[in-house]
């Protein structure tokens, strides 16, 4: 197993552990995240759009994989792009319809954590680019995954910023 | 359809959307959506809003 794969699995395990801790904290006591009925409805619709987008994306991937012998994107990338697409559609829809931030949540903290994750992924992507490059033998490899995560997070931050400015201009 | 009766009842009590939202436990955007007619609230939220504004369901939500 090379260092990239080892780093990938360790990183994956760390993210899973942090996620479980986050879920445990968020479900307990005053820290519990509360969404009102409209926000829950928005989240349900967001899940729906993300789910169907992922279905369509997977169908396209199957067609591409079976139809073409020499794809310029690795299978790992194709799978991961699907996850990124689903997450982005869900999050962007919820942000756009004000269902992303809970009633007792400080958006600033979430935005800072998203920006932090984007920066980490960006530098990890740059490190991969400088050490191994994104393309090997004419194929986009899994070294591009961190960079694509950074792009997705930056796009999400952009959606949040646009939404914030639109809200500011709303007349009560 | 816009709910102008809700908006005027809120304004009569000199309450902002945020004030009303805090009192009924929803986000400001939800109150805004109800007033604009973009969202149909559940009966529970309607009752909560009526209690805070001192109005009946008919006065705020019944459409002739």
């Amino acid at each position: 197993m090379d260092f990239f794969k080892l780093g990938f699995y360790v990183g994956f395990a760390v993210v899973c552990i942090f996620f479980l801790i986050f879920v445990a904290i968020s479900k307990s006591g005053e820290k519990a995240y509360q969404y009102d009925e409209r926000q829950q409805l928005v989240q349900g619709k967001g899940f729906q759009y993300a789910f169907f987008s992922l279905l369509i994306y997977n169908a396209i991937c199957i067609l591409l994989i079976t139809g073409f012998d020499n794809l310029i994107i690795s299978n790992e990338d194709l799978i991961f792009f699907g996850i990124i697409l689903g997450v982005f559609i869900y999050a962007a829809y919820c942000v756009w319809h004000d269902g992303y931030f809970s009633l007792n949540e400080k958006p600033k903290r979430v935005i800072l954590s998203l920006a932090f994750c984007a920066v980490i992924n960006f530098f990890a992507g740059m490190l991969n680019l400088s050490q191994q490059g994104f393309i090997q033998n004419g194929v986009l490899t899994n070294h591009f995954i961190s960079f694509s995560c950074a792009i997705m997070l930056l796009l999400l931050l952009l959606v949040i910023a646009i939404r914030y400015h639109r809200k500011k201009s709303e007349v009560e | 359809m816009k709910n102008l009766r809700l908006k005027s009842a809120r304004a009569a009590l000199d309450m902002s959307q945020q004030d009303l939202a805090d009192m009924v436990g929803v986000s400001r955007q939800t109150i805004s959506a109800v007033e604009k007619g973009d969202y149909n609230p559940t009966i529970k939220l309607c009752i909560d809003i009526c209690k805070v504004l001192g109005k009946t369901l008919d006065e705020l939500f019944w459409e002739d």
Side-chain angles (χ1 to χ4, degrees):
Chain A
M1 184 182 285
D2 62 29
F3 281 116
F4 179 81
K5 283 183 180 171
L6 186 66
F8 184 82
Y9 287 122
V10 169
F12 194 78
V14 168
V15 168
C16 286
I17 290 166
F18 270 103
F19 178 75
L20 290 174
I21 292 169
F22 175 78
V23 168
I25 290 170
S26 66
K27 277 188 176 173
S28 64
E30 292 177 3
K31 292 266 182 184
Y33 291 98
Q34 292 172 345
Y35 297 92
D36 67 33
E37 56 183 46
R38 187 192 58 82
Q39 289 178 309
Q40 287 172 0
L41 192 71
V42 164
Q43 288 175 356
K45 280 188 182 174
F47 271 122
Q48 194 182 7
Y49 288 130
F51 173 73
F52 283 111
S53 304
L54 197 56
L55 277 188
I56 293 165
Y57 174 83
N58 279 346
I60 292 169
C61 283
I62 290 167
L63 289 174
L64 286 173
I65 290 168
T66 50
F68 297 92
D69 290 332
N70 299 315
L71 276 180
I72 56 164
I73 304 173
S74 66
N75 287 348
E76 293 104 310
D77 274 348
L78 281 176
I79 293 167
F80 209 82
F81 288 162
I83 295 172
I84 286 177
L85 180 77
V87 169
F88 178 75
I89 287 173
Y90 167 72
Y93 183 87
C94 289
V95 166
W96 199 253
H97 293 90
D98 303 305
Y100 192 74
F101 301 111
S102 67
L103 298 174
N104 50 349
E105 193 171 31
K106 289 177 181 166
K108 198 176 174 182
R109 205 176 65 179
V110 181
I111 291 167
L112 283 175
S113 12
L114 286 174
F116 177 74
C117 291
V119 169
I120 293 283
N121 277 292
F122 179 78
F123 281 111
M126 285 294 112
L127 198 68
N128 284 332
L129 178 65
S130 64
Q131 288 178 346
Q132 290 146 323
F134 292 151
I135 296 172
Q136 286 171 0
N137 302 322
V139 176
L140 189 68
T141 64
N142 52 13
H143 297 128
F144 185 67
I145 288 173
S146 297
F147 199 72
S148 55
C149 268
I151 293 169
M152 184 270 284
L153 289 167
L154 286 174
L155 285 174
L156 189 57
L157 286 168
L158 184 70
V159 173
I160 292 172
I162 294 169
R163 185 67 193 130
Y164 176 75
H165 281 286
R166 281 190 61 153
K167 258 197 283 190
K168 265 177 78 176
S169 62
E170 264 179 23
V171 180
E172 189 172 293
Chain B
M1 187 186 288
K2 282 187 179 180
N3 192 333
L4 297 175
R5 282 176 291 178
L6 170 57
K7 194 171 182 173
S8 60
R10 174 177 61 75
L13 293 175
D14 203 22
M15 287 172 78
S16 66
Q17 287 181 339
Q18 188 65 60
D19 294 334
L20 180 57
D22 291 341
M23 292 181 83
V24 296
V26 296
S27 64
R28 187 197 66 78
Q29 288 79 17
T30 298
I31 297 297
S32 172
V34 173
E35 286 184 358
K36 281 191 219 164
D38 293 339
Y39 172 65
N40 283 326
T42 61
I43 190 72
K44 183 187 174 301
L45 180 55
C46 291
I47 291 169
D48 289 345
I49 291 171
C50 286
K51 279 180 180 171
V52 169
L53 297 179
K55 299 278 183 184
T56 64
L57 282 168
D58 280 0
E59 285 172 324
L60 290 185
F61 296 103
W62 185 258
E63 287 175 13
D64 295 319

